[in-house]
Amino acid sequence: MRLCLIKLGGSAVTVKDRFETLKAEEIREFAKMVKRLPKDVRVVVVHGAGSFGHFQAKQHSIVKGTSLPNYDLLSGFSDCRRSVTLLNHTIVSAFVAEGVPAVAMSPFGVWRTDNREVIATGIQQLREVIEIGLVAVLHGDVVLDETLGFTVLSGDVLMKSIANALQPQTIAFLTDVDGLLTFPPQHPQTSLITTVFIDPHTGVPHIPAISTTIAQHDVTGGIVAKLQVASAIAATRLQQTEQSDDEIVICIAKINSDAALQACL
């Protein structure tokens, strides 16, 4: 059995600058791609929120939390959850429509943080879901926080926790562009960075200088955060596998591309 951990970027499945706007065809094609994977490949999907949840989180400063929540903050918290779970339901429904046995596993109520550091996870439940052959679909969420009252738990933080605990053989970060670019995709001089070398001791990636843009309402850091998480995962696994022959493949690719499929095989 091989385990493939997939991060669906919010920009891959939603139009990030249009409130609660889906990329429905991309979601359907992604479900078909997962359906094509060999039966011995177990899959965990973590998707970002994109235009579902980010607007509410930004408006109400959910990521900052508060020890004295008021009605407006609680309403914003609730609306943020409504939005991200709506996207999650849509993605799970696309899987089910293609015959993929997917189940939603929302972090809220199971995962907890303290000053934004994860202190409780749903890893054991996730492990059991994987073992019986279900495709688990998690998402960036708002969660309770011991110090802040509540905060945002990003999909990238989920990826890091799940990767370190379950040690998948393959990790794929799927985006709306071809991969890690030196400039935003519309820039005439942009080029694809095909390989990134990671310092196994510090987790610092050695790459050319890159220029990126982040949506104003994005509260989870954009592509830079994804690269940092991918690098941290790689560094941890390099340290874990020093005494073994285990290998790990980490890929950043465009959703539904040949590169994405090959990374997940």
Side-chain angles (χ1 to χ4, degrees):
M1 182 188 80
R2 290 178 55 81
L3 177 60
C4 178
L5 176 59
I6 302 173
K7 171 64 192 301
L8 274 182
S11 60
V13 292
T14 76
V15 181
K16 289 194 76 171
D17 60 353
R18 297 183 190 172
F19 180 70
E20 294 189 355
T21 302
L22 294 167
K23 291 182 177 178
E25 185 61 25
E26 297 284 19
I27 294 171
R28 284 192 291 268
E29 290 302 314
F30 175 69
K32 292 177 182 178
M33 188 199 84
V34 173
K35 177 71 172 178
R36 292 168 59 191
L37 296 178
K39 298 301 181 185
D40 66 334
V41 176
R42 297 287 194 265
V43 177
V44 175
V45 176
V46 178
H47 66 80
S51 59
F52 289 72
H54 276 286
F55 284 92
Q56 295 94 334
K58 181 74 172 181
Q59 177 183 351
H60 297 279
S61 300
I62 300 297
V63 69
K64 296 180 180 178
T66 178
S67 59
L68 297 171
N70 57 41
Y71 179 80
D72 286 340
L73 275 173
L74 293 176
S75 295
F77 182 96
S78 177
D79 192 33
C80 189
R81 283 227 73 236
R82 175 206 59 79
S83 188
V84 296
T85 54
L86 175 61
L87 176 59
N88 182 254
H89 176 76
T90 301
I91 292 173
V92 171
S93 295
F95 278 129
V96 173
E98 293 298 328
V100 176
V103 292
M105 296 189 71
S106 289
F108 178 75
V110 180
W111 293 69
R112 293 177 68 91
T113 58
D114 187 1
N115 206 21
R116 303 188 189 93
E117 295 293 325
V118 175
I119 59 172
T121 74
I123 294 296
Q124 183 55 38
Q125 297 93 321
L126 181 58
R127 197 188 307 272
E128 293 168 359
V129 164
I130 296 167
E131 286 176 352
I132 65 173
L134 292 169
V135 173
V137 185
L138 298 86
H139 58 89
D141 206 349
V142 286
V143 297
L144 300 180
D145 185 283
E146 293 289 327
T147 299
L148 304 175
F150 51 74
T151 191
V152 172
L153 177 63
S154 73
D156 294 322
V157 173
L158 288 169
M159 287 288 291
K160 185 176 178 181
S161 295
I162 294 169
N164 290 343
L166 300 185
Q167 300 188 6
Q169 286 75 31
T170 303
I171 300 175
F173 289 80
L174 304 186
T175 74
D176 62 336
V177 296
D178 290 333
L180 184 61
L181 304 175
T182 53
F183 291 94
Q186 67 273 14
H187 194 285
Q189 295 181 343
T190 193
S191 60
L192 182 67
I193 300 172
T194 58
T195 305
V196 176
F197 294 96
I198 308 296
D199 186 316
H201 303 292
T202 65
V204 175
H206 297 281
I207 59 172
I210 62 174
S211 175
T212 66
T213 58
I214 300 177
Q216 187 176 15
H217 58 275
D218 192 331
V219 296
T220 56
I223 189 63
V224 172
K226 280 63 175 171
L227 177 59
Q228 291 171 340
V229 169
S231 300
I233 292 171
T236 299
R237 288 296 296 276
L238 285 169
Q239 295 168 6
Q240 290 172 338
T241 59
E242 280 183 347
Q243 305 301 321
S244 74
D245 296 325
D246 289 344
E247 294 183 353
I248 181 173
V249 175
I250 301 179
C251 176
I252 301 176
K254 187 172 185 177
I255 186 173
N256 301 326
S257 64
D258 289 340
L261 176 60
Q262 291 302 315
C264 296
L265 290 175

